[in-house]
Amino acid sequence: MSKSKHLGVTPPISLDFSDKHEEALADDLLATLKSEGLFESEDERKTREVVLGKIDKLVKEVVYQVSLKHKLPESLARECGGKIFTFGSYRLGVHGAGADIDTLCVVPSHVRREDFFECMTEMLKARSEVTELAPVPDAYVPVIKLQFSGVDIDMTVGVLQQPTIPEDLELSDNNILRSIDEHSVRSVNGSRVTDEILRLVPNIPTFRLALRCIKLWAKRRAIYSNSVGFFGGVAWAMAVARICQMYPNKCASTIVARFFVVLNKWRWTTPIMLKEIENGAGQFRVWNPR
């Protein structure tokens, strides 16, 4: 890996590969995490995929019904689309058995957030497999909480300024943020941040295994929650991702060990950054660490 191609805001600390002892420790780490029940079963995995497929169809149906309400011809209403994206621990690939799925529903510009919440809530009420339905439209990030076939879902919505939502839509383009409201920016950025973290780590399986370990450690010590002043899921993920950038060829056991060494000496007036700050699209504020 040349300096011009490294991931992160600084070159790696070491490009050394793990030795056999470190790799054996990584295998032991994986076995330990499995024994702690941190991985879902194959049946659970299939259930989640089925549930997400049903939610995707519901989103398209909501867009269709709202389009008809706005007097669009039926042929055009069917082409308006709609798409779901996942984010958080599920998208990062570090969710455990029984974990919820953070789901972003992307809809075209003529589907107002109020329309989506009203129509989607009514459709969900009619589904026998849906329980514990709780819309929270006035939250900082408006959300619909529910259980779908026993799977906990947190559903947010992003309204993009375009007439249709194609199946091949990607959220990585900053231009999609132009002219959309702050609620939609917050919703869309959940998915964008998760995907960007995955793009910025040199080895995704190593990152995932190390992050699972750190998450377990933090939860066992009751220091996993941004609502009470500790790191939340995204912050822990970014911290682990930064260590992966510093040691891009090391296995998960070494990443975990170096995590504590590096962060113990970290100067906290310096932010943990995975990439240089970019100018934002539109009029939204760009974070300044100074």
mmCIF file of all heavy atoms in Angstrom, residues 233-281:
data_model
loop_
_atom_site.group_PDB
_atom_site.id
_atom_site.type_symbol
_atom_site.label_atom_id
_atom_site.label_comp_id
_atom_site.label_asym_id
_atom_site.label_seq_id
_atom_site.Cartn_x
_atom_site.Cartn_y
_atom_site.Cartn_z
ATOM 1 N N GLY A 233 -23.143 3.893 18.870
ATOM 2 C CA GLY A 233 -22.724 2.909 17.879
ATOM 3 C C GLY A 233 -21.826 3.465 16.796
ATOM 4 O O GLY A 233 -20.809 2.860 16.440
ATOM 5 N N VAL A 234 -22.164 4.635 16.252
ATOM 6 C CA VAL A 234 -21.369 5.222 15.171
ATOM 7 C C VAL A 234 -19.987 5.628 15.678
ATOM 8 O O VAL A 234 -18.972 5.409 15.004
ATOM 9 C CB VAL A 234 -22.097 6.427 14.546
ATOM 10 C CG1 VAL A 234 -21.189 7.158 13.563
ATOM 11 C CG2 VAL A 234 -23.366 5.969 13.834
ATOM 12 N N ALA A 235 -19.927 6.205 16.867
ATOM 13 C CA ALA A 235 -18.639 6.645 17.409
ATOM 14 C C ALA A 235 -17.707 5.461 17.663
ATOM 15 O O ALA A 235 -16.513 5.518 17.340
ATOM 16 C CB ALA A 235 -18.852 7.426 18.710
ATOM 17 N N TRP A 236 -18.222 4.373 18.248
ATOM 18 C CA TRP A 236 -17.400 3.182 18.447
ATOM 19 C C TRP A 236 -16.924 2.641 17.097
ATOM 20 O O TRP A 236 -15.765 2.229 16.952
ATOM 21 C CB TRP A 236 -18.161 2.107 19.213
ATOM 22 C CG TRP A 236 -18.353 2.385 20.674
ATOM 23 C CD1 TRP A 236 -19.542 2.596 21.322
ATOM 24 C CD2 TRP A 236 -17.332 2.503 21.674
ATOM 25 N NE1 TRP A 236 -19.321 2.835 22.656
ATOM 26 C CE2 TRP A 236 -17.970 2.774 22.903
ATOM 27 C CE3 TRP A 236 -15.940 2.410 21.649
ATOM 28 C CZ2 TRP A 236 -17.270 2.951 24.103
ATOM 29 C CZ3 TRP A 236 -15.240 2.573 22.843
ATOM 30 C CH2 TRP A 236 -15.897 2.850 24.045
ATOM 31 N N ALA A 237 -17.819 2.635 16.111
ATOM 32 C CA ALA A 237 -17.455 2.126 14.784
ATOM 33 C C ALA A 237 -16.348 2.979 14.163
ATOM 34 O O ALA A 237 -15.390 2.460 13.568
ATOM 35 C CB ALA A 237 -18.675 2.096 13.870
ATOM 36 N N MET A 238 -16.442 4.292 14.290
ATOM 37 C CA MET A 238 -15.422 5.174 13.736
ATOM 38 C C MET A 238 -14.079 4.979 14.433
ATOM 39 O O MET A 238 -13.022 4.982 13.792
ATOM 40 C CB MET A 238 -15.866 6.631 13.849
ATOM 41 C CG MET A 238 -16.981 7.015 12.897
ATOM 42 S SD MET A 238 -17.433 8.763 13.017
ATOM 43 C CE MET A 238 -15.897 9.550 12.503
ATOM 44 N N ALA A 239 -14.118 4.792 15.753
ATOM 45 C CA ALA A 239 -12.876 4.599 16.496
ATOM 46 C C ALA A 239 -12.172 3.311 16.066
ATOM 47 O O ALA A 239 -10.957 3.293 15.844
ATOM 48 C CB ALA A 239 -13.163 4.584 17.994
ATOM 49 N N VAL A 240 -12.943 2.236 15.927
ATOM 50 C CA VAL A 240 -12.358 0.970 15.477
ATOM 51 C C VAL A 240 -11.866 1.100 14.039
ATOM 52 O O VAL A 240 -10.778 0.609 13.685
ATOM 53 C CB VAL A 240 -13.373 -0.180 15.612
ATOM 54 C CG1 VAL A 240 -12.822 -1.471 14.994
ATOM 55 C CG2 VAL A 240 -13.710 -0.425 17.084
ATOM 56 N N ALA A 241 -12.639 1.767 13.196
ATOM 57 C CA ALA A 241 -12.240 1.958 11.795
ATOM 58 C C ALA A 241 -10.922 2.721 11.699
ATOM 59 O O ALA A 241 -10.073 2.418 10.843
ATOM 60 C CB ALA A 241 -13.334 2.699 11.032
ATOM 61 N N ARG A 242 -10.722 3.688 12.594
ATOM 62 C CA ARG A 242 -9.477 4.459 12.560
ATOM 63 C C ARG A 242 -8.277 3.571 12.889
ATOM 64 O O ARG A 242 -7.211 3.701 12.273
ATOM 65 C CB ARG A 242 -9.560 5.632 13.546
ATOM 66 C CG ARG A 242 -8.343 6.550 13.483
ATOM 67 C CD ARG A 242 -8.304 7.324 12.179
ATOM 68 N NE ARG A 242 -7.079 8.127 12.053
ATOM 69 C CZ ARG A 242 -6.079 7.852 11.204
ATOM 70 N NH1 ARG A 242 -6.136 6.790 10.403
ATOM 71 N NH2 ARG A 242 -5.024 8.628 11.140
ATOM 72 N N ILE A 243 -8.429 2.672 13.848
ATOM 73 C CA ILE A 243 -7.342 1.749 14.185
ATOM 74 C C ILE A 243 -7.070 0.811 13.003
ATOM 75 O O ILE A 243 -5.913 0.503 12.699
ATOM 76 C CB ILE A 243 -7.669 0.933 15.450
ATOM 77 C CG1 ILE A 243 -8.039 1.867 16.605
ATOM 78 C CG2 ILE A 243 -6.493 0.048 15.832
ATOM 79 C CD1 ILE A 243 -6.980 2.893 16.944
ATOM 80 N N CYS A 244 -8.119 0.388 12.326
ATOM 81 C CA CYS A 244 -7.941 -0.447 11.133
ATOM 82 C C CYS A 244 -7.139 0.294 10.065
ATOM 83 O O CYS A 244 -6.311 -0.314 9.371
ATOM 84 C CB CYS A 244 -9.298 -0.866 10.569
ATOM 85 S SG CYS A 244 -10.215 -2.051 11.583
ATOM 86 N N GLN A 245 -7.368 1.597 9.926
ATOM 87 C CA GLN A 245 -6.596 2.387 8.959
ATOM 88 C C GLN A 245 -5.124 2.473 9.358
ATOM 89 O O GLN A 245 -4.241 2.483 8.498
ATOM 90 C CB GLN A 245 -7.188 3.794 8.848
ATOM 91 C CG GLN A 245 -8.551 3.860 8.195
ATOM 92 C CD GLN A 245 -9.098 5.275 8.165
ATOM 93 O OE1 GLN A 245 -8.669 6.150 8.929
ATOM 94 N NE2 GLN A 245 -10.057 5.520 7.275
ATOM 95 N N MET A 246 -4.878 2.538 10.655
ATOM 96 C CA MET A 246 -3.500 2.656 11.133
ATOM 97 C C MET A 246 -2.707 1.361 10.966
ATOM 98 O O MET A 246 -1.498 1.386 10.768
ATOM 99 C CB MET A 246 -3.496 3.061 12.612
ATOM 100 C CG MET A 246 -4.012 4.450 12.884
ATOM 101 S SD MET A 246 -4.081 4.764 14.669
ATOM 102 C CE MET A 246 -4.521 6.497 14.688
ATOM 103 N N TYR A 247 -3.424 0.221 11.029
ATOM 104 C CA TYR A 247 -2.794 -1.097 10.908
ATOM 105 C C TYR A 247 -3.570 -1.914 9.864
ATOM 106 O O TYR A 247 -4.263 -2.878 10.198
ATOM 107 C CB TYR A 247 -2.796 -1.822 12.262
ATOM 108 C CG TYR A 247 -2.073 -1.062 13.347
ATOM 109 C CD1 TYR A 247 -2.759 -0.162 14.164
ATOM 110 C CD2 TYR A 247 -0.708 -1.230 13.548
ATOM 111 C CE1 TYR A 247 -2.102 0.551 15.158
ATOM 112 C CE2 TYR A 247 -0.034 -0.515 14.548
ATOM 113 C CZ TYR A 247 -0.741 0.370 15.342
ATOM 114 O OH TYR A 247 -0.082 1.070 16.325
ATOM 115 N N PRO A 248 -3.487 -1.521 8.588
ATOM 116 C CA PRO A 248 -4.384 -2.069 7.563
ATOM 117 C C PRO A 248 -4.214 -3.555 7.271
ATOM 118 O O PRO A 248 -5.123 -4.174 6.720
ATOM 119 C CB PRO A 248 -4.046 -1.230 6.326
ATOM 120 C CG PRO A 248 -2.651 -0.748 6.565
ATOM 121 C CD PRO A 248 -2.567 -0.503 8.040
ATOM 122 N N ASN A 249 -3.086 -4.145 7.633
ATOM 123 C CA ASN A 249 -2.845 -5.558 7.314
ATOM 124 C C ASN A 249 -2.907 -6.471 8.531
ATOM 125 O O ASN A 249 -2.618 -7.664 8.421
ATOM 126 C CB ASN A 249 -1.478 -5.701 6.630
ATOM 127 C CG ASN A 249 -1.418 -4.932 5.327
ATOM 128 O OD1 ASN A 249 -2.377 -4.906 4.560
ATOM 129 N ND2 ASN A 249 -0.300 -4.270 5.073
ATOM 130 N N LYS A 250 -3.294 -5.923 9.668
ATOM 131 C CA LYS A 250 -3.366 -6.721 10.882
ATOM 132 C C LYS A 250 -4.739 -7.375 11.032
ATOM 133 O O LYS A 250 -5.741 -6.874 10.541
ATOM 134 C CB LYS A 250 -3.072 -5.849 12.112
ATOM 135 C CG LYS A 250 -1.609 -5.407 12.232
ATOM 136 C CD LYS A 250 -0.691 -6.610 12.492
ATOM 137 C CE LYS A 250 0.733 -6.175 12.831
ATOM 138 N NZ LYS A 250 1.618 -7.319 13.118
ATOM 139 N N CYS A 251 -4.765 -8.501 11.751
ATOM 140 C CA CYS A 251 -6.021 -9.218 11.978
ATOM 141 C C CYS A 251 -6.769 -8.608 13.167
ATOM 142 O O CYS A 251 -6.269 -7.710 13.860
ATOM 143 C CB CYS A 251 -5.755 -10.699 12.199
ATOM 144 S SG CYS A 251 -4.765 -11.062 13.663
ATOM 145 N N ALA A 252 -7.972 -9.120 13.426
ATOM 146 C CA ALA A 252 -8.868 -8.494 14.401
ATOM 147 C C ALA A 252 -8.302 -8.496 15.819
ATOM 148 O O ALA A 252 -8.494 -7.534 16.571
ATOM 149 C CB ALA A 252 -10.223 -9.189 14.377
ATOM 150 N N SER A 253 -7.610 -9.565 16.210
ATOM 151 C CA SER A 253 -7.073 -9.614 17.576
ATOM 152 C C SER A 253 -6.071 -8.484 17.813
ATOM 153 O O SER A 253 -6.056 -7.862 18.886
ATOM 154 C CB SER A 253 -6.412 -10.968 17.835
ATOM 155 O OG SER A 253 -5.363 -11.210 16.905
ATOM 156 N N THR A 254 -5.254 -8.203 16.828
ATOM 157 C CA THR A 254 -4.280 -7.119 16.957
ATOM 158 C C THR A 254 -4.962 -5.762 16.927
ATOM 159 O O THR A 254 -4.573 -4.841 17.652
ATOM 160 C CB THR A 254 -3.229 -7.211 15.837
ATOM 161 O OG1 THR A 254 -2.660 -8.512 15.836
ATOM 162 C CG2 THR A 254 -2.129 -6.174 16.032
ATOM 163 N N ILE A 255 -5.984 -5.619 16.096
ATOM 164 C CA ILE A 255 -6.739 -4.359 16.046
ATOM 165 C C ILE A 255 -7.330 -4.059 17.421
ATOM 166 O O ILE A 255 -7.275 -2.915 17.907
ATOM 167 C CB ILE A 255 -7.850 -4.421 14.981
ATOM 168 C CG1 ILE A 255 -7.256 -4.561 13.574
ATOM 169 C CG2 ILE A 255 -8.746 -3.182 15.066
ATOM 170 C CD1 ILE A 255 -6.367 -3.416 13.142
ATOM 171 N N VAL A 256 -7.890 -5.075 18.074
ATOM 172 C CA VAL A 256 -8.474 -4.875 19.404
ATOM 173 C C VAL A 256 -7.393 -4.446 20.397
ATOM 174 O O VAL A 256 -7.579 -3.503 21.181
ATOM 175 C CB VAL A 256 -9.179 -6.156 19.885
ATOM 176 C CG1 VAL A 256 -9.581 -6.032 21.361
ATOM 177 C CG2 VAL A 256 -10.410 -6.444 19.036
ATOM 178 N N ALA A 257 -6.259 -5.114 20.371
ATOM 179 C CA ALA A 257 -5.178 -4.768 21.290
ATOM 180 C C ALA A 257 -4.674 -3.345 21.047
ATOM 181 O O ALA A 257 -4.478 -2.568 21.995
ATOM 182 C CB ALA A 257 -4.032 -5.772 21.140
ATOM 183 N N ARG A 258 -4.460 -2.991 19.781
ATOM 184 C CA ARG A 258 -3.966 -1.661 19.456
ATOM 185 C C ARG A 258 -5.015 -0.580 19.741
ATOM 186 O O ARG A 258 -4.672 0.567 20.019
ATOM 187 C CB ARG A 258 -3.536 -1.596 17.982
ATOM 188 C CG ARG A 258 -2.434 -2.548 17.585
ATOM 189 C CD ARG A 258 -1.250 -2.496 18.508
ATOM 190 N NE ARG A 258 -0.621 -1.171 18.559
ATOM 191 C CZ ARG A 258 0.369 -0.850 19.369
ATOM 192 N NH1 ARG A 258 0.837 -1.740 20.227
ATOM 193 N NH2 ARG A 258 0.893 0.361 19.334
ATOM 194 N N PHE A 259 -6.278 -0.948 19.671
ATOM 195 C CA PHE A 259 -7.373 -0.022 19.972
ATOM 196 C C PHE A 259 -7.170 0.599 21.357
ATOM 197 O O PHE A 259 -7.234 1.824 21.523
ATOM 198 C CB PHE A 259 -8.706 -0.765 19.905
ATOM 199 C CG PHE A 259 -9.907 0.048 20.297
ATOM 200 C CD1 PHE A 259 -10.605 0.780 19.354
ATOM 201 C CD2 PHE A 259 -10.353 0.072 21.612
ATOM 202 C CE1 PHE A 259 -11.725 1.535 19.706
ATOM 203 C CE2 PHE A 259 -11.460 0.821 21.979
ATOM 204 C CZ PHE A 259 -12.142 1.547 21.025
ATOM 205 N N PHE A 260 -6.913 -0.233 22.347
ATOM 206 C CA PHE A 260 -6.763 0.273 23.706
ATOM 207 C C PHE A 260 -5.461 1.039 23.888
ATOM 208 O O PHE A 260 -5.415 2.043 24.605
ATOM 209 C CB PHE A 260 -6.863 -0.882 24.705
ATOM 210 C CG PHE A 260 -8.235 -1.493 24.760
ATOM 211 C CD1 PHE A 260 -8.507 -2.693 24.135
ATOM 212 C CD2 PHE A 260 -9.260 -0.836 25.415
ATOM 213 C CE1 PHE A 260 -9.777 -3.252 24.173
ATOM 214 C CE2 PHE A 260 -10.546 -1.383 25.460
ATOM 215 C CZ PHE A 260 -10.805 -2.587 24.838
ATOM 216 N N VAL A 261 -4.408 0.596 23.234
ATOM 217 C CA VAL A 261 -3.121 1.291 23.343
ATOM 218 C C VAL A 261 -3.222 2.688 22.737
ATOM 219 O O VAL A 261 -2.808 3.691 23.350
ATOM 220 C CB VAL A 261 -2.004 0.491 22.647
ATOM 221 C CG1 VAL A 261 -0.712 1.302 22.593
ATOM 222 C CG2 VAL A 261 -1.766 -0.831 23.371
ATOM 223 N N VAL A 262 -3.779 2.771 21.534
ATOM 224 C CA VAL A 262 -3.850 4.053 20.827
ATOM 225 C C VAL A 262 -4.797 5.019 21.520
ATOM 226 O O VAL A 262 -4.455 6.185 21.771
ATOM 227 C CB VAL A 262 -4.269 3.845 19.354
ATOM 228 C CG1 VAL A 262 -4.532 5.189 18.669
ATOM 229 C CG2 VAL A 262 -3.200 3.073 18.595
ATOM 230 N N LEU A 263 -6.000 4.563 21.858
ATOM 231 C CA LEU A 263 -6.981 5.474 22.441
ATOM 232 C C LEU A 263 -6.609 5.867 23.863
ATOM 233 O O LEU A 263 -7.016 6.940 24.337
ATOM 234 C CB LEU A 263 -8.378 4.865 22.390
ATOM 235 C CG LEU A 263 -8.971 4.700 20.984
ATOM 236 C CD1 LEU A 263 -10.450 4.382 21.057
ATOM 237 C CD2 LEU A 263 -8.761 5.936 20.124
ATOM 238 N N ASN A 264 -5.871 5.025 24.562
ATOM 239 C CA ASN A 264 -5.406 5.392 25.896
ATOM 240 C C ASN A 264 -4.471 6.609 25.844
ATOM 241 O O ASN A 264 -4.404 7.396 26.788
ATOM 242 C CB ASN A 264 -4.678 4.218 26.548
ATOM 243 C CG ASN A 264 -4.225 4.531 27.958
ATOM 244 O OD1 ASN A 264 -5.025 4.969 28.793
ATOM 245 N ND2 ASN A 264 -2.955 4.301 28.244
ATOM 246 N N LYS A 265 -3.755 6.759 24.725
ATOM 247 C CA LYS A 265 -2.802 7.869 24.572
ATOM 248 C C LYS A 265 -3.350 8.992 23.683
ATOM 249 O O LYS A 265 -2.634 9.944 23.387
ATOM 250 C CB LYS A 265 -1.491 7.339 23.984
ATOM 251 C CG LYS A 265 -0.794 6.320 24.879
ATOM 252 C CD LYS A 265 0.490 5.813 24.228
ATOM 253 C CE LYS A 265 1.188 4.801 25.132
ATOM 254 N NZ LYS A 265 2.438 4.278 24.506
ATOM 255 N N TRP A 266 -4.594 8.861 23.252
ATOM 256 C CA TRP A 266 -5.158 9.830 22.307
ATOM 257 C C TRP A 266 -5.310 11.205 22.964
ATOM 258 O O TRP A 266 -5.773 11.313 24.101
ATOM 259 C CB TRP A 266 -6.522 9.354 21.811
ATOM 260 C CG TRP A 266 -7.007 10.107 20.608
ATOM 261 C CD1 TRP A 266 -7.725 11.262 20.598
ATOM 262 C CD2 TRP A 266 -6.780 9.763 19.237
ATOM 263 N NE1 TRP A 266 -7.984 11.658 19.308
ATOM 264 C CE2 TRP A 266 -7.412 10.752 18.450
ATOM 265 C CE3 TRP A 266 -6.126 8.717 18.600
ATOM 266 C CZ2 TRP A 266 -7.398 10.728 17.067
ATOM 267 C CZ3 TRP A 266 -6.116 8.687 17.223
ATOM 268 C CH2 TRP A 266 -6.744 9.681 16.464
ATOM 269 N N ARG A 267 -4.927 12.237 22.224
ATOM 270 C CA ARG A 267 -5.156 13.605 22.677
ATOM 271 C C ARG A 267 -6.551 14.022 22.228
ATOM 272 O O ARG A 267 -6.788 14.261 21.040
ATOM 273 C CB ARG A 267 -4.096 14.538 22.085
ATOM 274 C CG ARG A 267 -2.682 14.265 22.604
ATOM 275 C CD ARG A 267 -1.697 15.275 22.034
ATOM 276 N NE ARG A 267 -0.341 15.045 22.529
ATOM 277 C CZ ARG A 267 0.701 15.786 22.204
ATOM 278 N NH1 ARG A 267 0.548 16.817 21.373
ATOM 279 N NH2 ARG A 267 1.900 15.512 22.690
ATOM 280 N N TRP A 268 -7.443 14.146 23.183
ATOM 281 C CA TRP A 268 -8.860 14.291 22.826
ATOM 282 C C TRP A 268 -9.241 15.691 22.370
ATOM 283 O O TRP A 268 -10.406 15.960 22.094
ATOM 284 C CB TRP A 268 -9.726 13.817 23.984
ATOM 285 C CG TRP A 268 -9.636 12.327 24.107
ATOM 286 C CD1 TRP A 268 -8.923 11.633 25.021
ATOM 287 C CD2 TRP A 268 -10.225 11.361 23.230
ATOM 288 N NE1 TRP A 268 -9.040 10.276 24.787
ATOM 289 C CE2 TRP A 268 -9.837 10.076 23.688
ATOM 290 C CE3 TRP A 268 -11.036 11.445 22.105
ATOM 291 C CZ2 TRP A 268 -10.232 8.905 23.073
ATOM 292 C CZ3 TRP A 268 -11.441 10.264 21.485
ATOM 293 C CH2 TRP A 268 -11.043 9.023 21.970
ATOM 294 N N THR A 269 -8.256 16.587 22.296
ATOM 295 C CA THR A 269 -8.525 17.849 21.591
ATOM 296 C C THR A 269 -8.458 17.632 20.081
ATOM 297 O O THR A 269 -8.852 18.508 19.301
ATOM 298 C CB THR A 269 -7.497 18.922 21.994
ATOM 299 O OG1 THR A 269 -6.175 18.403 21.821
ATOM 300 C CG2 THR A 269 -7.698 19.325 23.456
ATOM 301 N N THR A 270 -7.964 16.466 19.675
ATOM 302 C CA THR A 270 -7.895 16.094 18.261
ATOM 303 C C THR A 270 -9.018 15.119 17.948
ATOM 304 O O THR A 270 -9.115 14.070 18.583
ATOM 305 C CB THR A 270 -6.542 15.431 17.931
ATOM 306 O OG1 THR A 270 -5.484 16.315 18.269
ATOM 307 C CG2 THR A 270 -6.473 15.068 16.458
ATOM 308 N N PRO A 271 -9.890 15.427 16.988
ATOM 309 C CA PRO A 271 -10.994 14.511 16.681
ATOM 310 C C PRO A 271 -10.506 13.248 15.976
ATOM 311 O O PRO A 271 -9.469 13.252 15.305
ATOM 312 C CB PRO A 271 -11.884 15.346 15.736
ATOM 313 C CG PRO A 271 -10.937 16.311 15.093
ATOM 314 C CD PRO A 271 -9.908 16.633 16.139
ATOM 315 N N ILE A 272 -11.241 12.164 16.162
ATOM 316 C CA ILE A 272 -10.995 10.949 15.398
ATOM 317 C C ILE A 272 -11.664 11.126 14.038
ATOM 318 O O ILE A 272 -12.884 11.260 13.952
ATOM 319 C CB ILE A 272 -11.553 9.710 16.115
ATOM 320 C CG1 ILE A 272 -10.801 9.478 17.423
ATOM 321 C CG2 ILE A 272 -11.462 8.474 15.212
ATOM 322 C CD1 ILE A 272 -11.334 8.333 18.250
ATOM 323 N N MET A 273 -10.868 11.161 12.985
ATOM 324 C CA MET A 273 -11.385 11.393 11.635
ATOM 325 C C MET A 273 -10.933 10.279 10.706
ATOM 326 O O MET A 273 -9.784 9.846 10.758
ATOM 327 C CB MET A 273 -10.893 12.752 11.105
ATOM 328 C CG MET A 273 -11.419 13.937 11.889
ATOM 329 S SD MET A 273 -10.605 15.504 11.446
ATOM 330 C CE MET A 273 -10.900 15.548 9.676
ATOM 331 N N LEU A 274 -11.839 9.827 9.856
ATOM 332 C CA LEU A 274 -11.525 8.768 8.894
ATOM 333 C C LEU A 274 -11.131 9.337 7.536
ATOM 334 O O LEU A 274 -10.561 8.629 6.709
ATOM 335 C CB LEU A 274 -12.723 7.833 8.731
ATOM 336 C CG LEU A 274 -13.209 7.135 10.001
ATOM 337 C CD1 LEU A 274 -14.359 6.187 9.674
ATOM 338 C CD2 LEU A 274 -12.083 6.386 10.684
ATOM 339 N N LYS A 275 -11.455 10.601 7.300
ATOM 340 C CA LYS A 275 -11.131 11.254 6.037
ATOM 341 C C LYS A 275 -11.139 12.754 6.276
ATOM 342 O O LYS A 275 -11.615 13.233 7.312
ATOM 343 C CB LYS A 275 -12.147 10.880 4.945
ATOM 344 C CG LYS A 275 -13.584 11.258 5.301
ATOM 345 C CD LYS A 275 -14.597 10.777 4.289
ATOM 346 C CE LYS A 275 -14.492 11.512 2.977
ATOM 347 N NZ LYS A 275 -15.589 11.196 2.063
ATOM 348 N N GLU A 276 -10.606 13.493 5.316
ATOM 349 C CA GLU A 276 -10.622 14.946 5.418
ATOM 350 C C GLU A 276 -12.063 15.462 5.295
ATOM 351 O O GLU A 276 -12.891 14.880 4.591
ATOM 352 C CB GLU A 276 -9.746 15.579 4.340
ATOM 353 C CG GLU A 276 -8.261 15.227 4.457
ATOM 354 C CD GLU A 276 -7.605 15.816 5.690
ATOM 355 O OE1 GLU A 276 -8.219 16.711 6.328
ATOM 356 O OE2 GLU A 276 -6.487 15.386 6.018
ATOM 357 N N ILE A 277 -12.344 16.555 5.978
ATOM 358 C CA ILE A 277 -13.678 17.142 5.928
ATOM 359 C C ILE A 277 -13.928 17.718 4.540
ATOM 360 O O ILE A 277 -13.070 18.388 3.964
ATOM 361 C CB ILE A 277 -13.822 18.239 6.995
ATOM 362 C CG1 ILE A 277 -13.712 17.612 8.390
ATOM 363 C CG2 ILE A 277 -15.154 18.968 6.851
ATOM 364 C CD1 ILE A 277 -13.695 18.631 9.512
ATOM 365 N N GLU A 278 -15.121 17.444 4.003
ATOM 366 C CA GLU A 278 -15.506 17.954 2.694
ATOM 367 C C GLU A 278 -16.518 19.069 2.861
ATOM 368 O O GLU A 278 -17.264 19.111 3.839
ATOM 369 C CB GLU A 278 -16.133 16.831 1.849
ATOM 370 C CG GLU A 278 -15.198 15.658 1.600
ATOM 371 C CD GLU A 278 -15.909 14.532 0.862
ATOM 372 O OE1 GLU A 278 -17.133 14.650 0.642
ATOM 373 O OE2 GLU A 278 -15.247 13.547 0.518
ATOM 374 N N ASN A 279 -16.549 19.977 1.903
ATOM 375 C CA ASN A 279 -17.583 20.999 1.887
ATOM 376 C C ASN A 279 -18.922 20.340 1.604
ATOM 377 O O ASN A 279 -19.043 19.483 0.727
ATOM 378 C CB ASN A 279 -17.299 22.067 0.834
ATOM 379 C CG ASN A 279 -16.102 22.918 1.204
ATOM 380 O OD1 ASN A 279 -15.876 23.196 2.382
ATOM 381 N ND2 ASN A 279 -15.331 23.327 0.206
ATOM 382 N N GLY A 280 -19.935 20.736 2.359
ATOM 383 C CA GLY A 280 -21.241 20.120 2.199
ATOM 384 C C GLY A 280 -21.993 20.656 1.005
ATOM 385 O O GLY A 280 -21.703 21.737 0.484
ATOM 386 N N ALA A 281 -22.989 19.870 0.574
ATOM 387 C CA ALA A 281 -23.870 20.321 -0.509
ATOM 388 C C ALA A 281 -24.937 21.241 0.074
ATOM 389 O O ALA A 281 -25.381 21.082 1.208
ATOM 390 C CB ALA A 281 -24.526 19.113 -1.180
#
